[in-house]
Amino acid sequence: MVDKVLGNKKAIVFFLFPALVVFIGLIIIPIIMSTYYSLQEWSGFGEGTFIGLQNYKGLLSDPIFVKAAVNSLILAIASVFIQLPISLLLALTLAKGVKFEKSLVTIYFVPVIISTVVIGQLWMKIYNPEYGILNILLKAIGLESFASEWLGDPKRALAATFIPIIWQYIGYHMLLMYAGIKSISTDIFEAAVIDGSSWWNTSMKITIPMLKPVLNVSVIFAVTGALKVFDLVYVLTGGGPAHASEVIGTYMVSTIFKGNQYGYGSAMAVFVILECFALSILVGLLFREKEEAK
């Protein structure tokens, strides 16, 4: 029955058409409009003035934008080298069949489904310089000199902002990897046990290599998610203090809605889109090269 439907081109077009319309309406057309406005000097009111690539040249000489772009890349690197290894370790540990396995999977996934505003409020209380649990804990163990106004200190605001973001999505990537491990045939693991392979050896030489398609997706999601981050940074610091925790998303919003520079903000949006496409392709190529090298 399925083969008969898949062989009917009219049926394929019929089922794909609604999704195609939604995709074009919500993704393609906004991208085209952003590209159009990025080539104009436009305040959001009246007619814009065509200025070619001047907005893009302005981005390169804008120190705040450059800082925001660097901060976004730092978050992307931290996501790949801190968030994903923690997620992978959790997935490997849970998938081997620990006690309360299903409950622990659910608990680790809870931060993903909680509203970002709630997460932000939670961490603002943790970081509070007067009654926050972090400073109280540091003082209790004799590290009072490390107590700080975490979100108000330009030297610590960036790290203090990124830690909740990385923490929130550990469960998301853990669940992807956990599902990937569970899809691997148990016969393979049983054969490894019979051959005397330890859990760690099995994880490194069998599980992780077979999990590469899932890891590829996780890396792409982590990188593009970091480049597009906005909500939690906006709730915690709004990009401050003094742009210390600024990312492209927060700077774009302040430029468009507070500065009324819709053309310039649209150029930032197009930059993020191109950046995400380029890095997604690069990650895909890196995983493909490793596969071909074997």
Side-chain angles (χ1 to χ4, degrees):
M1 181 64 181
V2 175
D3 293 337
K4 187 178 179 180
V5 172
L6 292 177
N8 187 337
K9 293 182 180 179
K10 290 183 179 178
I12 293 174
V13 172
F14 177 79
F15 285 114
L16 289 180
F17 185 72
L20 182 64
V21 170
V22 172
F23 179 76
I24 291 174
L26 298 181
I27 304 294
I28 301 300
I29 291 178
I31 290 176
I32 293 173
M33 291 178 66
S34 293
T35 305
Y36 171 74
Y37 289 125
S38 72
L39 301 176
Q40 298 194 23
E41 184 178 7
W42 186 47
S43 66
F45 301 98
E47 293 290 330
T49 304
F50 181 79
I51 57 173
L53 299 175
Q54 288 301 316
N55 282 329
Y56 293 96
K57 291 180 180 177
L59 291 179
L60 299 177
S61 59
D62 183 344
I64 300 175
F65 175 79
V66 173
K67 184 175 183 58
V70 171
N71 286 346
S72 297
L73 286 175
I74 290 172
L75 178 59
I77 293 169
S79 297
V80 172
F81 292 102
I82 297 176
Q83 183 183 62
L84 295 187
I86 294 174
S87 300
L88 179 60
L89 185 60
L90 284 173
L92 289 169
T93 304
L94 293 174
K96 73 176 183 178
V98 298
K99 201 173 182 181
F100 305 117
E101 177 184 334
K102 299 295 181 186
S103 300
L104 288 172
V105 170
T106 304
I107 290 170
Y108 285 123
F109 191 71
V110 166
V112 181
I113 60 177
I114 296 178
S115 164
T116 301
V117 176
V118 175
I119 296 282
Q121 289 294 323
L122 169 70
W123 281 88
M124 285 173 76
K125 289 178 173 57
I126 291 174
Y127 287 138
N128 189 285
E130 295 179 2
Y131 58 81
I133 191 172
L134 182 56
N135 279 352
I136 291 175
L137 184 63
L138 289 172
K139 291 173 183 175
I141 60 176
L143 296 176
E144 190 171 351
S145 59
F146 288 94
S148 172
E149 190 174 345
W150 298 94
L151 297 175
D153 184 347
K155 293 180 181 177
R156 301 184 181 186
L158 185 65
T161 306
F162 285 176
I163 287 173
I165 299 170
I166 291 171
W167 167 80
Q168 185 182 11
Y169 289 101
I170 283 177
Y172 175 78
H173 295 289
M174 180 274 297
L175 191 62
L176 287 179
M177 296 171 190
Y178 174 82
I181 296 170
K182 285 296 185 182
S183 69
I184 299 173
S185 172
T186 55
D187 293 344
I188 297 174
F189 297 121
E190 289 171 0
V193 171
I194 293 171
D195 289 340
S197 177
S198 64
W199 171 76
W200 179 255
N201 193 51
T202 303
S203 298
M204 297 302 293
K205 295 184 177 178
I206 297 177
T207 311
I208 293 176
M210 295 187 73
L211 204 60
K212 279 187 177 176
V214 177
L215 295 177
N216 184 5
V217 173
S218 282
V219 172
I220 290 175
F221 282 177
V223 170
T224 56
L227 298 177
K228 297 184 297 183
V229 70
F230 164 74
D231 43 11
L232 200 46
V233 177
Y234 191 77
V235 172
L236 287 170
T237 64
H243 302 290
S245 61
E246 197 81 78
V247 293
I248 296 178
T250 54
Y251 188 46
M252 179 168 57
V253 168
S254 64
T255 301
I256 292 177
F257 296 107
K258 295 180 182 176
N260 290 331
Q261 294 178 284
Y262 281 73
Y264 194 55
S266 296
M268 293 183 201
V270 174
F271 177 87
V272 172
I273 293 168
L274 295 176
E275 191 181 29
C276 287
F277 269 122
L279 289 178
S280 297
I281 293 171
L282 179 62
V283 171
L285 289 174
L286 288 174
F287 272 85
R288 188 180 302 172
E289 284 182 3
K290 286 185 179 179
E291 287 291 329
E292 291 175 353
K294 288 188 173 181

